[in-house]
Amino acid sequence: MSLNTASNPLYIKPEPSRRFSVAPMMDWTDRHCRFFLRLLSRHTLLYTEMVTTGALLNGDAERFLRHDEAEHPLALQLGGSTPADLAACARMAEAAGYDEVNLNVGCPSDRVQNNMIGACLMAHPALVAECVKAMRDAVSIPVTVKHRIGINGRDSYAELCDFVGTVKDAGCQSFTVHARIAILEGLSPKENRDIPPLRYDVAAQLKADFPELEIILNGGIKTLEQCQAHLQVFDGVMLGREAYHNPYVLAEVDQQLFGSTAPVISRAQALAALRPYIAAHIAAGGAMHHITRHILGLGQGFPGARRFRQLLSVDIHKAKDPLALLDQAGELLEGR
């Protein structure tokens, strides 16, 4: 019996590296997006969109949990605040093969606030701790938390330390910190990603005061050079919008941040590797734009990039042969 396979009862699944990850993003990091991003980087930790406990317990759980094995390492982000429900969903995540389950304590939208989900939970550290403990007791995979540095009305550093310390005492060892506060009234989720100022200094102080914890920095990071600088202070970095709008930034992550000696994949190679996945999706009755909407960011910074985006965002909806259109777009990536 192999010592390093799940068939060995003594086998312990390795914890995913959070040195570099792509943030959970609603409407963006679905399974098709994640499959594409995985083609660019072998080591990046990928997160699902936030899935609420209600959606899993009362909805189509198979649809929400569905993923391709190629997506690993892969974490499921949950939204909820009822410990028993979160524990049940964590068990579902583990059974479905996810490598980590993450609790959302950062989303500022009105809709999730009304259901006691997201950033509003920063005002209730004891409840978050109870949720984390219930999830940790239910599964053997890591349970992590993604949060802000505060919310309006509870944005002092002392309150942030109280939150992290309380949740730490429940057994959480990994915190992903979006280095902005969330304004829970008067700002949209989009505005909450831009208007509250970035405070990397606050996140850095948190790492200094909790050196035993894994602290991952999120918010406003755009380049691998910035990632390398932040990794001098933090245990990991998480990219959000930049990774989606400029996905080719992931192509050098393995080499620059993980020490891989594998060759960097080209844009053309990435699209060619994605083609069989697209063809299978179409054969199963799906539409090509379900997938190609996530790859428009490949078309940046070269002659023909605009045409590439037009083919896959406008022309795609009137194409009689979508794969032929894909091949036409692929020709614009040749040598890139």
Side-chain angles (χ1 to χ4, degrees), residues 122-308:
M122 291 205 70
H124 307 279
L127 175 58
V128 175
E130 190 180 346
C131 291
V132 164
K133 184 179 186 308
M135 295 162 76
R136 279 179 48 82
D137 287 347
V139 297
S140 60
I141 57 175
V143 175
T144 64
V145 171
K146 186 173 188 291
H147 61 95
R148 297 280 183 133
I149 57 172
I151 55 177
N152 54 309
R154 189 183 169 87
D155 57 3
S156 73
Y157 183 67
E159 287 165 319
L160 175 60
C161 287
D162 174 57
F163 173 82
V164 171
T166 301
V167 178
K168 178 198 78 164
D169 289 345
C172 185
Q173 292 294 305
S174 182
F175 294 78
T176 298
V177 184
H178 186 160
R180 288 184 173 94
I181 69 165
I183 307 295
L184 298 184
E185 301 90 22
L187 292 185
S188 69
K190 181 181 185 299
E191 291 169 329
N192 260 299
R193 292 191 293 269
D194 294 308
I195 292 177
L198 281 165
R199 293 292 307 276
Y200 295 145
D201 58 315
V202 173
Q205 187 62 50
L206 196 66
K207 176 60 187 177
D209 290 339
F210 293 91
E212 73 279 15
L213 295 180
E214 183 179 63
I215 303 292
I216 314 302
L217 182 69
N218 172 231
I221 307 170
K222 295 182 179 296
T223 69
L224 296 189
E225 290 73 24
Q226 291 171 346
C227 289
Q228 289 170 332
H230 287 308
L231 285 168
Q232 302 304 307
V233 177
F234 300 96
D235 301 296
V237 288
M238 174 183 278
L239 265 66
R241 286 168 288 170
E242 186 67 18
Y244 188 84
H245 292 306
N246 182 26
Y248 197 63
V249 71
L250 268 69
E252 294 190 4
V253 162
D254 293 357
Q255 290 75 12
Q256 292 198 26
L257 302 185
F258 290 94
S260 172
T261 57
V264 174
I265 191 171
S266 69
R267 286 177 167 87
Q269 289 169 333
L271 188 63
L274 186 62
R275 192 186 191 281
Y277 180 88
I278 293 174
H281 180 68
I282 293 172
M288 189 166 82
H289 71 85
H290 295 159
I291 302 169
T292 53
R293 72 185 184 98
H294 298 302
I295 72 171
L296 300 181
L298 273 183
Q300 283 193 41
F302 60 87
R306 184 177 179 182
R307 177 61 179 154
F308 174 87

Side-chain angles (χ1 to χ4, degrees), residues 82-94:
T82 303
D85 290 352
L86 284 163
C89 291
R91 281 191 289 268
M92 294 168 73
E94 184 172 47

Side-chain angles (χ1 to χ4, degrees), residues 33 62 102 218 240:
C33 175
E62 191 280 332
N102 177 267
N218 172 231

